[in-house]
Amino acid sequence: MNTWLCLFIILFIISIIIVSSYLIYKFSKNKSNFITFTPKLPKFVLSAYAGDTLGPKITSSSNDDPQSLTENMEIVQNSGLNMINFGLCHIGRDKPPPGGNFGLGTGDIIYNDITVISKGKLVNEVAMKDWAASMKTLYDSGIWYFSWSFGGAVPWVYDFRVMAEMLKAQDGRWDQFKQNMKLLYTTFPLVRCVDIDCEETSDDWVNTCITFAKMCNDIGFDVSIAPFSNFGDWKT
């Protein structure tokens, strides 16, 4: 092999290691008050939307269909994943949408069909703290980055239209939603990021996403975007 080519490959690998180590360190800074983080070289980054099977354990599940992170711990630890995107998170609204069942207080935070936070309080404090402890077990086993994914497919999901409604009304519901997000941040300190999965295309969805992203960042979250469609608008 050409000597210059070998040298280039070596320098390229070294640069990847340096950049990866820096990014891991940067990801850890936002939550330095909550966890002790030792920068380490990452494996290949694999991520998965978690769904119900990695949620909190609210009731006992069938042995044939385990439905909580606690019950699926060994599978996840041996999966090769080192990132988990907890999806799908939704926002409660006072009137259920067609085909949906989110007839809860506007601004409540829901993980799939499980209400996590309502009106500034954990709905099931024991289950949620157990869920956070299970995340710590995963972290200690080498899964080093977690995020919440908000949004999903229409017509079932109304999350960003609910946000737009709260912002337009200026009646205190957005402030309550922000308090709920702060509680989400402190209850699950290892979940460092909010992933915006906006698949809705109302007139003001761009400003809604920007406002939500800024709010999450002010709280301390990193923010990522899963552009579903309208790529030109995402550039804005």
Side-chain angles (χ1 to χ4, degrees):
M1 185 181 292
N2 185 284
T3 303
W4 287 106
L5 179 59
C6 291
L7 181 61
F8 173 78
I9 292 173
I10 292 171
L11 290 174
F12 180 71
I13 293 173
I14 292 173
S15 67
I16 290 177
I17 292 173
I18 292 173
V19 171
S20 299
S21 299
Y22 169 75
L23 288 175
I24 296 172
Y25 169 73
K26 184 176 179 181
F27 284 151
S28 71
K29 287 186 70 177
N30 283 345
K31 300 234 170 166
S32 58
N33 292 332
F34 296 99
I35 61 173
T36 300
F37 186 89
T38 303
K40 55 188 176 182
L41 297 180
K43 304 176 230 176
F44 287 105
V45 175
L46 299 173
S47 180
Y49 279 91
D52 288 333
T53 54
L54 298 190
K57 186 173 182 178
I58 304 298
T59 58
S60 297
S61 304
S62 163
N63 290 332
D64 297 328
D65 186 26
Q67 289 293 310
S68 74
L69 176 55
T70 301
E71 294 167 293
N72 289 297
M73 180 67 68
E74 185 176 353
I75 295 173
V76 180
Q77 287 175 315
N78 295 326
S79 66
L81 296 172
N82 53 24
M83 293 178 64
I84 290 179
N85 201 359
F86 287 100
L88 301 166
C89 296
H90 302 294
I91 301 167
R93 64 193 301 257
D94 296 323
K95 295 179 181 179
N101 58 353
F102 307 132
L104 303 164
T106 302
D108 289 355
I109 296 174
I110 303 157
Y111 181 74
N112 294 301
D113 293 326
I114 299 170
T115 304
V116 178
I117 296 171
S118 179
K119 299 177 176 62
K121 295 182 179 179
L122 295 172
V123 171
N124 187 330
E125 186 170 355
V126 173
M128 298 309 154
K129 290 187 174 180
D130 285 347
W131 195 21
S134 294
M135 293 176 190
K136 179 64 164 60
T137 300
L138 288 182
Y139 177 82
D140 290 340
S141 69
I143 298 178
W144 56 272
Y145 200 69
F146 304 90
S147 65
W148 302 113
S149 182
F150 278 81
V154 292
W156 304 278
V157 173
Y158 274 65
D159 299 327
F160 291 90
R161 281 169 281 183
V162 172
M163 288 188 206
E165 177 189 330
M166 289 190 287
L167 288 167
K168 184 177 180 179
Q170 292 294 307
D171 56 6
R173 289 181 296 169
W174 180 264
D175 293 334
Q176 179 62 75
F177 174 49
K178 185 173 183 178
Q179 293 304 311
N180 291 344
M181 290 296 296
K182 286 181 178 179
L183 182 56
L184 188 72
Y185 180 86
T186 56
T187 304
F188 304 96
L190 284 170
V191 187
R192 307 168 188 167
C193 182
V194 168
D195 176 61
I196 297 178
D197 177 24
C198 180
E199 303 180 24
E200 304 163 52
T201 54
S202 57
D203 292 339
D204 49 2
W205 73 271
V206 173
N207 289 330
T208 301
C209 287
I210 291 172
T211 303
F212 179 50
K214 288 181 176 178
M215 183 255 276
C216 291
N217 196 245
D218 288 343
I219 290 171
F221 287 111
D222 297 327
V223 177
S224 64
I225 295 172
F228 179 73
S229 59
N230 297 322
F231 293 101
D233 290 330
W234 278 114
K235 292 179 181 178
T236 304

